[in-house]
Amino acid sequence: MDIRVQAGAFDMGAELNSFAAAQSGAGAVVSFTGITRDLAEGGLERMEIEHYPGMTERALAEIAAEAEARWQLAGSLILHRYGPLTPSDPIMMVATAARHRGDAFAAAEYLMDYLKSRAPFWKKEITQAGAEWVQAKEADEDALSRWSDPDERGS
Amino acid sequence: MIELRYFAWLRERVGTGHERIETDARTVAELMSELAARDEGYALAFSDPSTIRAAVDQELADLDAPIEGAREVAFFPPMTGG
């Protein structure tokens, strides 16, 4: 697994190419990239992401290790930025590689579901009117329940 | 001595990101009550425990988790990564 938490920008195409090139025996690579989204009404000046150095890397490594234990993966990547971001900046990406697409898709979804509510990141939206912490969605917490039944591996 | 860490709006309400304290609290919940009794900022930060998550030595922990021997306890709102 490759876990990276960084302030700097990343090139999602270059990251995906080098991830894919490093996998042996994989027939499927799945990736997801999260992009800084403007508010529905517009006006987002920037988004600031705070995290808990130390715990973040640990939590991400645990999530990736669990995914690698549940599915037959050749490899996994989690890359997440922190600090100030502007609309349309990539925030984070995950990628998974497996022999077959089912494992790669399911593991990528699992990484995203756990990353959203179990990795210590917090988003703050800054507009001209002020700054507001993004509220966690109940749906994000609910999304974890589908992984608790070991028979539902989605493969 | 135990190291306390605060993040996001909890950090803003208590006015610091970390501090070292002496405490007799045995659990996360006891520590929260002790902190809430300090001043208005702390009282506001800890007024609704259902909106607070905690980590003991960088592992997510329930509010009834013991903190004896812990080096670091962190408080923060539900996470919003991704």
Side-chain angles (χ1 to χ4, degrees), chain A residues 120-140:
Chain A
F121 290 101
W122 300 275
K123 294 194 184 106
K124 190 182 204 178
E125 292 169 336
I126 292 102
T127 64
Q128 262 199 331
E132 279 202 42
W133 290 99
V134 172
Q135 301 254 347
K137 296 188 187 76
E138 260 180 55
D140 289 338

Side-chain angles (χ1 to χ4, degrees), chain A residues 78-108:
Chain A
I78 304 178
L79 198 167
H80 205 300
R81 294 181 67 188
Y82 60 88
L85 297 162
T86 50
S88 80
D89 280 348
I91 302 173
M92 51 78 59
M93 70 181 286
V94 302
T96 55
R99 283 191 70 77
H100 301 286
R101 73 178 187 280
D103 283 346
F105 270 121

Side-chain angles (χ1 to χ4, degrees), chain A residues 32 34 49-56 58 62 80 91-92 112 115-124 133-137 140-141, chain B residues 3-12 17 51 53-61 71-82:
Chain A
F32 171 86
I49 299 184
E50 182 170 333
H51 80 115
Y52 183 173
M55 181 176 168
T56 307
R58 238 167 116 154
E62 280 173 22
H80 205 300
I91 302 173
M92 51 78 59
M112 281 311 302
L115 187 153
K116 283 202 89 79
S117 40
R118 292 291 182 272
F121 290 101
W122 300 275
K123 294 194 184 106
K124 190 182 204 178
W133 290 99
V134 172
Q135 301 254 347
K137 296 188 187 76
D140 289 338
E141 191 64 33
Chain B
E3 174 92 10
L4 301 183
R5 310 285 306 265
Y6 307 100
F7 293 94
W9 55 255
L10 261 135
R11 171 178 54 72
E12 293 176 342
T51 61
R53 302 288 179 269
V56 176
D57 288 337
Q58 303 191 354
E59 292 278 356
L60 281 174
R71 281 171 286 113
E72 184 173 304
V73 177
F75 294 103
F76 40 79
M79 296 162 266
T80 53

Side-chain angles (χ1 to χ4, degrees), chain A residues 12-72:
Chain A
M12 63 174 122
E15 291 293 345
L16 190 55
N17 281 332
S18 65
F19 175 75
Q23 311 306 323
S24 57
V29 170
V30 165
S31 75
F32 171 86
T33 305
I35 310 285
T36 311
R37 177 174 54 220
D38 200 348
L39 305 174
E41 64 275 22
L44 182 71
E45 290 184 353
R46 65 181 196 279
M47 174 175 275
E48 277 176 11
I49 299 184
E50 182 170 333
H51 80 115
Y52 183 173
M55 181 176 168
T56 307
E57 292 80 359
R58 238 167 116 154
L60 294 177
E62 280 173 22
I63 293 166
E66 179 61 25
E68 294 192 359
R70 283 186 177 221
W71 292 279
Q72 297 280 324

